[in-house]
Amino acid sequence: MEVHVERPPQAAMEEKRADAKPEIAEIGTALPIVFESFPSTQRDSAGIKQEERKLEEAKAEMGEVREENERLKAMLSRIVSQYQSLQMHFLDVVKVHGPAANKQADKLPVAPAPAKVKPPGATAAEDDDGPDDLVSLSLGSRANSGGGGGARRKCHERSSSSSGTAETAADKGQLSLGLGIAPGSGLSSVDDDKATAGASPAAPVLNLSSDSSSADDAAKSAQAPVGTTRKSPSGGAGAVDGADDEVQQQAKKARVSVRVKCDTPTMPDGCQWRKYGQKISKGNPCPRAYYRCTVAPHCPVRKQVQRCAEDTSILITTYEGVHNHQLPPAASAMAARTSAAAAMLTSGSTTSSSSASLAHGHHFTLAAAGMLGPTAMVSTAASCPTVTLDLTAPGGGASLLHTSPYAAAAAAGYESKAMPAAWSSGYLGYSGAHPSYYANKSSPALGQLFGGSLGVPSRPELLYAQIGQSYLERANSVGGSGHGAVAPAVTDTIAKAITSDPSFQSVLAAAITSVMGRGGAAAAQK
DNA sequence: CGCCTTTGACCGGCGC
DNA sequence: GCGCCGGTCAAAGGCG
């Protein structure tokens, strides 16, 4: 004689999460049966007392469930608020380090729209102005539709809307962090209409995305294949000066290679690919397959898949370009990772080889490096700079491997300019003035946003290390265990999406670092 | 029928 | 200038 509500543990958990009402219903249906089973009044009395007790227990349990629901709701709202707070912090950074951009919005859009992006194409063609003041952080970045108009439309909503004057940002330089995530994907919320006002045709944009497309490419609807030697249409931009051309050339060939233990023919990265070629490359008996992204009709992204000669269980996937479309959540993770790596690569290659040509000697590298994976390697073999993310190493250590020429440069004392040096010392070197910022402003939000277990690092480098570690763990799970199970899980809840979205993390870290670098570079120039 | 893979041919860059 | 090599194209065939 007992009210027995049978619920498997997992079911109970889900019920708690959802609502307590089902439980009430079950109790209600069970009670009549219990009453009918008592023949005598005495037993009825005893049974009623027992039932009352059970009812009280049920109520208590229900209360607990409600409390848990409240806690979850509070947690969710807290995460959302923290995310928005982070956006505010980011704008603060923009204001502090970009006085000219002070007119930018100090107001954040309610919707999680970290930033709008300006197509990388605008970079070279328009980068004839002075130092850019606007850092445009884009989580969703690439212009969907091409055309120069499209590029302008991709200007940042925040920069324009809050100031109320589109011209505000128009004359300011812009730093665009195109991280290869399709517009509207994940946390990105692109409001093209609003963004239009903020677009600055004359604003220099440094694009850190892996997209190899030049200004021309972007002008041509960002659909031109990137990194291809055959069809590079970059010739047309007459406005591109030599320095920018060089930068673009490097960016054009920027690649991100991911090494993952994978038994399947291709790494499940969430995108749809169409195989368009296969070759036996020299030095590797395993054929190299060439894939093209087919999610969007003219997506410029391509990838090469080849098994490691030494260990055929290791799949080496090399990505080129930036998607010009919205990515599935699972694909966003990989895109963010590769794009962050590409950002590091681009920044590093430019600073090491032609820092003067780059208007601003940024050091995005540490931030990017922190998110690259257990092992990140930079190589410039065959005049094609490539960042290799080795996700095959167990343990997820954040060690970074430096290969020549960067490692050599660092060893030779060029740490201030060589990219990998930034990983080890470059960033920390000039960040001396910023720890307070991290400790007082960003760190709390970051520490919580990037996982409550992370805590709040007392030093920026620790913050990055933790961010990176957090990212690595997720990256490992995504890249190593397969995307199939990841996508649905990631999209389960908003909170989970926010806290686990690597694109946001990578963009945020890269942007903060870039801002710091810009600040330092600007100060140095003055 | 549409999409995809396969595969030989072609093209351009690069080194000698 | 020539050959090698990486990368891409495009026709042909397979598959659902």
Side-chain angles (χ1 to χ4, degrees):
Chain A
M1 290 301 167
E2 59 181 11
V3 176
H4 188 60
V5 180
E6 285 189 6
R7 292 182 307 143
Q10 186 174 354
M13 291 289 290
E14 293 175 357
E15 209 168 280
K16 283 183 178 181
R17 246 181 273 143
D19 204 327
K21 287 183 179 178
E23 192 167 316
I24 300 174
E26 292 184 27
I27 296 172
T29 55
L31 285 177
I33 300 175
V34 172
F35 285 128
E36 289 174 1
S37 62
F38 284 94
S40 67
T41 57
Q42 185 178 0
R43 293 180 66 180
D44 281 348
S45 175
I48 289 174
K49 287 183 179 180
Q50 191 174 0
E51 284 310 313
E52 286 177 350
R53 193 173 65 251
K54 295 291 182 184
L55 189 59
E56 289 302 320
E57 291 177 359
K59 286 181 179 178
E61 187 176 353
M62 194 173 68
E64 292 177 1
V65 172
R66 283 176 175 170
E67 288 179 3
E68 187 170 347
N69 273 334
E70 290 303 317
R71 282 198 302 272
L72 289 174
K73 288 179 182 178
M75 186 182 303
L76 177 60
S77 62
R78 195 165 58 245
I79 290 171
V80 172
S81 64
Q82 287 169 0
Y83 172 70
Q84 293 178 354
S85 173
L86 262 177
Q87 289 181 320
M88 296 293 289
H89 289 324
F90 172 71
L91 286 184
D92 289 341
V93 174
V94 172
K95 288 181 178 180
V96 169
H97 295 276
N102 277 346
K103 292 184 179 179
Q104 288 183 34
D106 48 1
K107 242 180 175 181
L108 286 174
V110 175
K116 302 304 187 309
V117 74
K118 183 168 186 178
T123 303
E126 300 170 356
D127 191 7
D128 49 0
D129 282 352
D132 39 328
D133 299 322
L134 172 62
V135 173
S136 154
L137 174 59
S138 167
L139 291 180
S141 67
R142 286 307 299 270
N144 239 345
S145 59
R152 295 184 182 183
R153 287 164 52 92
K154 284 307 171 180
C155 178
H156 300 250
E157 169 184 345
R158 245 183 278 138
S159 62
S160 60
S161 63
S162 63
S163 65
T165 60
E167 294 78 9
T168 301
D171 294 305
K172 314 302 179 183
Q174 291 189 354
L175 172 62
S176 173
L177 300 179
L179 291 185
I181 300 166
S185 69
L187 299 174
S188 167
S189 159
V190 177
D191 185 338
D192 284 5
D193 293 338
K194 291 184 178 180
T196 304
S200 161
V205 176
L206 174 62
N207 188 306
L208 297 180
S209 74
S210 59
D211 181 25
S212 54
S213 61
S214 64
D216 262 4
D217 298 339
K220 293 177 181 176
S221 76
Q223 293 176 355
V226 281
T228 63
T229 55
R230 278 185 71 176
K231 308 219 166 185
S232 60
S234 60
V240 180
D241 58 24
D244 286 334
D245 213 14
E246 182 180 354
V247 173
Q248 289 170 15
Q249 284 296 330
Q250 292 180 355
K252 188 164 294 186
K253 294 179 180 179
R255 296 178 180 177
V256 178
S257 181
V258 181
R259 290 166 54 94
V260 174
K261 274 191 175 295
C262 185
D263 294 332
T264 57
T266 63
M267 183 173 61
D269 48 19
C271 274
Q272 291 180 340
W273 303 93
R274 171 176 175 163
K275 190 176 183 179
Y276 66 90
Q278 179 171 313
K279 273 282 189 180
I280 297 289
S281 58
K282 197 177 181 181
N284 191 337
C286 302
R288 174 183 299 170
Y290 301 89
Y291 292 87
R292 186 173 293 149
C293 179
T294 59
V295 175
H298 300 286
C299 180
V301 175
R302 301 184 180 194
K303 76 171 181 180
Q304 304 173 4
V305 178
Q306 186 174 32
R307 294 218 166 263
C308 181
E310 290 77 12
D311 186 355
T312 56
S313 66
I314 296 176
L315 200 65
I316 304 173
T317 306
T318 304
Y319 294 88
E320 288 183 8
V322 175
H323 296 278
N324 64 353
H325 52 84
Q326 184 169 355
L327 291 177
S332 299
M334 181 58 68
R337 180 173 15 171
T338 57
S339 297
M344 176 194 70
L345 172 66
T346 302
S347 114
S349 61
T350 52
T351 53
S352 62
S353 62
S354 60
S355 58
S357 66
L358 247 195
H360 335 287
H362 311 298
H363 293 273
F364 307 88
T365 53
L366 182 67
M371 292 169 282
L372 288 184
T375 302
M377 184 186 305
V378 178
S379 109
T380 57
S383 69
C384 183
T386 301
V387 173
T388 299
L389 312 182
D390 193 346
L391 302 181
T392 62
S399 63
L400 299 170
L401 294 184
H402 303 168
T403 62
S404 60
Y406 297 120
Y414 296 104
E415 295 186 355
S416 60
K417 291 189 176 181
M419 165 177 58
W423 301 351
S424 59
S425 63
Y427 165 79
L428 298 179
Y430 71 75
S431 66
H434 302 303
S436 60
Y437 171 82
Y438 285 95
N440 297 335
K441 300 180 89 178
S442 290
S443 289
L446 287 172
Q448 296 172 18
L449 189 59
F450 294 135
S453 62
L454 287 178
V456 179
S458 58
R459 297 185 303 168
E461 58 269 37
L462 293 182
L463 169 65
Y464 274 113
Q466 291 183 347
I467 293 174
Q469 184 63 29
S470 173
Y471 181 88
L472 295 185
E473 293 171 359
R474 190 165 40 254
N476 278 335
S477 66
V478 170
S481 61
H483 272 289
V486 174
V490 170
T491 56
D492 268 352
T493 64
I494 297 175
K496 197 170 183 179
I498 293 175
T499 55
S500 66
D501 191 331
S503 66
F504 173 70
Q505 297 181 16
S506 40
V507 167
L508 178 70
I512 290 176
T513 307
S514 68
V515 170
M516 298 308 173
R518 295 167 61 78
Q525 289 178 356
K526 293 177 182 177

